[in-house]
Amino acid sequence: MIKIVVDLLGADKPQTELVLGAIRAISENKDLYVYLMGRKAELEDFLANVTYDESQLEIVDCTQEITNYDDPVDAYHDKTDSSLIKGLKMCRMNEDIGGFVTCGATGVVLISSILILGKLNATRPALSVVLNGRNDKPFCIVDCGANIDCKADRFVDFARLGVAYMKTLGIENPTVATLSNGIEAGKGSDVIKEAHELLEKCGFNFTGNIEGKEVLDGNADVVVCDGFAGNVLLKSIEGTAKVVFDDIRRAAAGASDTQKAQLEAFIGRLEPKFDYNNEGGAILLGVKKPVVKGHGAATDKTVYNTVKIAYGLAKNNLVEKISEEFEKK
Amino acid sequence: MIKIVVDLLGADKPQTELVLGAIRAISENKDLYVYLMGRKAELEDFLANVTYDESQLEIVDCTQEITNYDDPVDAYHDKTDSSLIKGLKMCRMNEDIGGFVTCGATGVVLISSILILGKLNATRPALSVVLNGRNDKPFCIVDCGANIDCKADRFVDFARLGVAYMKTLGIENPTVATLSNGIEAGKGSDVIKEAHELLEKCGFNFTGNIEGKEVLDGNADVVVCDGFAGNVLLKSIEGTAKVVFDDIRRAAAGASDTQKAQLEAFIGRLEPKFDYNNEGGAILLGVKKPVVKGHGAATDKTVYNTVKIAYGLAKNNLVEKISEEFEKK
């Protein structure tokens, strides 16, 4: 059994909507067990009218909720009966729990995960997102928002985390590239130039610099960058795709219903793949259990996807794979 | 008469193709005069079969060409009869020349422009690109590649340059935002946080931080960032749009010819607007004449667009507008 803790509070949508994502995930994966962190009485009432296998879940009552207005450190100390803190502590204390899923406030998730679960191999944990590029080829961006001002050696840790992550997706010898403002080795900030030199010596399948325009072409499996550049990259991909799709629909505003339906058939399926919030979430790599963070505007579909990601990471031994990468140091 | 110097060498395409862009620009603007820098004999032969107003152009013979393999400083010293260096020197020496257009090597253009034309108001020149976002609302990114590692006060200069630039497009009181990894004032690298504080005090129409996903929404007229982040932003916009359009075409691969033609009608016109290389070029702001730099893969259309941009910037007194912004200091 793969056991995953699912935090159902702290997102924009009510727990009774989000829980349906978890129910769908367990119904599709018979070896998945979920601990649902939320308000027990309300969840029990709601689930009384839903069909699911009772042997695959347990509701854990939480009397507190963490919001975006909570200070991360205060929340960690004071809201010990919140779904987020209580859930992370359950993860820490039970060796057989494989991971944690939340749509809570990013800052609180980052800090509480580090404080409660602890760092793996003394690295600083990084946020990573897997996107599907051209021809649906997956690639990951590390870091995309946790570590803003980074020294060069941090990028080597990001590469190790990303390589381990891509290995859980079945990519055997992932290529690694540094995000930069030109593909030539001499391009980049001082830190990127230094990171480039370090990465060349570390035994990675390192392919050099990658530019923003090639990232989606899938020219590298792991794109390493600081959390500032990674965030700019991730969000501009998301924002650009959104504007392109919106503009296309506007261009077709005067078309017939048949033509519009046809257009939707061409573009409708593509749209979600450029929005990582729809597809899943960011993974906090480098803590002792996989933590998957969905967006605050998450729906039951987000919870379904994030639970599946956490399940996959636990099943494919992310934490062991990360340790292996760090042992090569 | 607005006089613009057009460098026809150093790009991938031959001068005989590129010159057609300049010819189209003068035929559409009767107060535009161009100096065509290239191999005179070949250009004369070619233009013998083209209709244009001879009083609107002059061919200036150049015996040397600068390529991407040239070292910028060596090229500046040694290739004095190249279209790029000779053209910039003509700009410097003739007060009535309003600007310079080139598709040559970026590094050489940057350094030679600074060395020959000189800096305006002692600022470090920045590369800027105007993109059209949602609903075709234009906005500019400063810097998008010239200044990689920047201190906070540089961002204030970038804002001045961008504001002056947007004023030449008729935007009276352009909004300014700092590109960051979150909209909250506390988000960003140490440099961005400091820049944010400085910009709040400088009398700009400053709206705070902007994220990568909102840039194309046109939430700010001027997006200030260092050349590293600006380059990541610009290129990821370009790359994402390209992949989205390619993916849509692939999704429609099995459709009928009529359906494909319909789809092209919806998306064909949108495609160029996300590719600044098609639309025009990057502007070097902060030198004593406007320098517009088209991509090396430029076509006659690129030259047409870049000449029109340089013409507009000269006509709308970019240089005076920049000086005005710096006088407010």
Side-chain angles (χ1 to χ4, degrees):
Chain A
M1 218 64 170
I2 304 286
K3 295 184 176 176
I4 302 293
V5 175
V6 184
D7 168 15
L8 293 172
L9 301 177
D12 301 344
K13 297 267 158 88
Q15 59 171 0
T16 47
E17 177 175 335
L18 299 183
V19 72
L20 292 173
I23 297 295
R24 187 173 152 206
I26 57 170
S27 69
E28 288 179 12
N29 298 283
K30 288 297 157 197
D31 64 338
L32 169 62
Y33 186 94
V34 290
Y35 294 95
L36 301 174
M37 313 300 294
R39 286 179 221 97
K40 191 171 186 176
E42 190 196 29
L43 280 172
E44 279 178 344
D45 278 356
F46 179 79
L47 290 177
N49 300 309
V50 176
T51 309
Y52 61 93
D53 185 340
E54 286 180 24
S55 74
Q56 282 185 270
L57 71 79
E58 179 180 333
I59 301 172
V60 181
D61 193 37
C62 303
T63 59
Q64 290 175 307
E65 179 170 347
I66 288 173
T67 73
N68 271 314
Y69 300 98
D70 279 298
D71 174 80
V73 177
D74 289 349
Y76 163 74
H77 286 295
D78 302 338
K79 293 199 166 175
T80 51
D81 204 53
S82 63
S83 50
L84 181 50
I85 304 299
K86 197 171 182 174
L88 281 167
K89 286 187 174 166
M90 273 180 60
C91 262
R92 185 200 168 100
M93 287 182 298
N94 296 281
E95 214 175 296
D96 66 337
I97 293 183
F100 182 72
V101 167
T102 179
C103 302
T106 309
V108 187
V109 174
L110 287 178
I111 287 173
S112 304
S113 298
I114 295 170
L115 290 173
I116 297 169
L117 299 175
K119 296 178 195 174
L120 254 179
N121 309 88
T123 184
R124 257 194 85 145
L127 269 178
S128 178
V129 159
V130 169
L131 293 178
N132 289 308
R134 193 183 286 279
N135 299 319
D136 293 325
K137 187 181 174 300
F139 65 91
C140 78
I141 304 170
V142 191
D143 176 31
C144 61
N147 302 283
I148 301 305
D149 287 295
C150 296
K151 292 196 177 148
D153 54 358
R154 185 71 54 80
F155 289 77
V156 179
D157 283 355
F158 292 168
R160 289 196 178 96
L161 294 170
V163 163
Y165 184 9
M166 295 311 280
K167 284 184 177 176
T168 70
L169 301 183
I171 296 167
E172 274 188 26
N173 189 19
T175 51
V176 174
T178 30
L179 181 66
S180 193
N181 61 312
I183 53 168
E184 300 87 348
K187 286 287 180 97
S189 61
D190 292 343
V191 171
I192 287 293
K193 284 183 220 168
E194 201 186 330
H196 192 286
E197 280 179 29
L198 292 176
L199 284 162
E200 274 182 326
K201 294 177 201 149
C202 286
F204 292 108
N205 188 358
F206 181 62
T207 58
N209 283 343
I210 191 166
E211 292 187 346
K213 68 177 166 186
E214 298 158 346
V215 164
L216 271 179
D217 286 333
N219 291 2
D221 299 314
V222 179
V223 177
V224 293
C225 44
D226 63 37
F228 187 87
N231 195 277
V232 167
L233 174 69
L234 177 67
K235 288 182 178 163
S236 67
I237 290 172
E238 195 185 325
T240 303
K242 199 165 178 337
V243 169
V244 171
F245 286 115
D246 288 352
D247 274 2
I248 292 171
R249 290 202 173 89
R250 213 178 53 241
S256 71
D257 285 352
T258 318
Q259 285 168 342
K260 282 185 195 161
Q262 187 65 61
L263 183 66
E264 284 302 322
F266 297 145
I267 71 176
R269 263 168 309 160
L270 296 173
E271 210 166 7
K273 97 170 197 190
F274 294 99
D275 183 356
Y276 83 94
N277 292 321
N278 264 326
E279 287 295 284
I283 324 290
L284 185 62
L285 298 171
V287 286
K288 287 182 181 161
K289 296 270 170 86
V291 172
V292 185
K293 154 93 184 75
H295 196 264
T299 61
D300 58 327
K301 195 184 155 201
T302 318
V303 172
Y304 166 72
N305 283 323
T306 44
V307 170
K308 274 207 311 180
I309 290 171
Y311 166 78
L313 293 173
K315 201 163 178 165
N316 291 303
N317 305 312
L318 172 68
V319 168
E320 289 73 12
K321 285 192 169 72
I322 290 176
S323 293
E324 281 166 25
E325 291 304 322
F326 277 86
E327 277 160 23
K328 291 181 189 165
K329 211 165 179 172
Chain B
M1 218 62 171
I2 304 286
K3 295 183 176 176
I4 302 294
V5 176
V6 184
D7 168 16
L8 294 173
L9 302 177
D12 301 344
K13 297 267 159 80
Q15 59 170 1
T16 47
E17 176 174 336
L18 300 182
V19 72
L20 292 173
I23 297 294
R24 188 174 151 205
I26 57 172
S27 70
E28 289 179 12
N29 299 284
K30 288 297 154 195
D31 65 338
L32 169 62
Y33 186 94
V34 290
Y35 294 96
L36 302 174
M37 313 302 293
R39 285 179 222 96
K40 192 170 185 177
E42 191 197 28
L43 281 172
E44 279 178 342
D45 277 356
F46 179 78
L47 290 177
N49 299 310
V50 176
T51 308
Y52 62 92
D53 185 340
E54 286 181 22
S55 74
Q56 282 185 269
L57 70 78
E58 180 181 331
I59 301 172
V60 180
D61 193 37
C62 302
T63 58
Q64 290 175 307
E65 180 170 347
I66 288 172
T67 71
N68 270 312
Y69 299 99
D70 279 298
D71 174 79
V73 177
D74 290 349
Y76 163 73
H77 286 295
D78 301 338
K79 292 200 167 174
T80 51
D81 205 53
S82 63
S83 50
L84 180 50
I85 303 299
K86 197 171 183 174
L88 281 167
K89 286 189 174 165
M90 275 181 58
C91 263
R92 185 200 168 100
M93 287 182 298
N94 295 281
E95 214 175 296
D96 66 338
I97 293 181
F100 182 72
V101 167
T102 179
C103 303
T106 310
V108 186
V109 174
L110 287 178
I111 287 173
S112 304
S113 299
I114 296 170
L115 290 173
I116 296 169
L117 299 175
K119 297 178 194 174
L120 255 179
N121 307 88
T123 183
R124 257 194 85 146
L127 269 179
S128 178
V129 159
V130 169
L131 293 178
N132 289 308
R134 193 183 286 278
N135 298 320
D136 292 326
K137 187 179 175 301
F139 65 91
C140 77
I141 305 170
V142 191
D143 176 31
C144 62
N147 302 282
I148 302 305
D149 287 295
C150 296
K151 291 194 177 149
D153 55 358
R154 185 71 52 81
F155 289 77
V156 180
D157 284 355
F158 292 168
R160 289 196 177 94
L161 295 170
V163 164
Y165 185 9
M166 294 312 280
K167 284 184 176 174
T168 69
L169 301 183
I171 297 168
E172 275 187 27
N173 189 18
T175 52
V176 175
T178 29
L179 180 66
S180 194
N181 60 313
I183 54 168
E184 300 87 348
K187 286 286 180 98
S189 61
D190 292 342
V191 171
I192 287 292
K193 285 183 220 169
E194 202 186 328
H196 192 287
E197 281 180 29
L198 292 175
L199 284 162
E200 275 183 326
K201 293 178 201 150
C202 286
F204 292 107
N205 189 359
F206 181 63
T207 58
N209 284 342
I210 191 167
E211 292 187 346
K213 69 177 167 188
E214 297 158 346
V215 165
L216 272 179
D217 286 332
N219 290 4
D221 299 315
V222 179
V223 177
V224 293
C225 45
D226 64 37
F228 187 87
N231 195 277
V232 167
L233 174 68
L234 178 66
K235 288 184 179 163
S236 66
I237 289 173
E238 195 186 326
T240 304
K242 200 164 178 339
V243 168
V244 172
F245 286 115
D246 288 352
D247 274 3
I248 292 171
R249 290 201 174 90
R250 212 178 54 241
S256 71
D257 285 351
T258 318
Q259 285 168 340
K260 282 185 196 162
Q262 188 65 61
L263 182 68
E264 283 302 321
F266 297 145
I267 70 175
R269 262 169 309 162
L270 296 173
E271 208 166 7
K273 97 169 197 192
F274 294 99
D275 183 356
Y276 82 94
N277 293 321
N278 264 326
E279 286 297 282
I283 324 292
L284 185 62
L285 298 171
V287 286
K288 288 182 179 161
K289 297 270 169 87
V291 172
V292 185
K293 154 90 185 78
H295 196 263
T299 61
D300 57 328
K301 195 183 154 201
T302 318
V303 172
Y304 166 72
N305 283 323
T306 45
V307 170
K308 275 206 312 180
I309 291 171
Y311 165 78
L313 293 173
K315 201 164 179 164
N316 292 304
N317 305 312
L318 172 69
V319 168
E320 290 73 11
K321 285 191 168 73
I322 290 176
S323 293
E324 281 167 24
E325 291 304 322
F326 277 87
E327 277 160 22
K328 292 180 190 168
K329 210 164 178 173

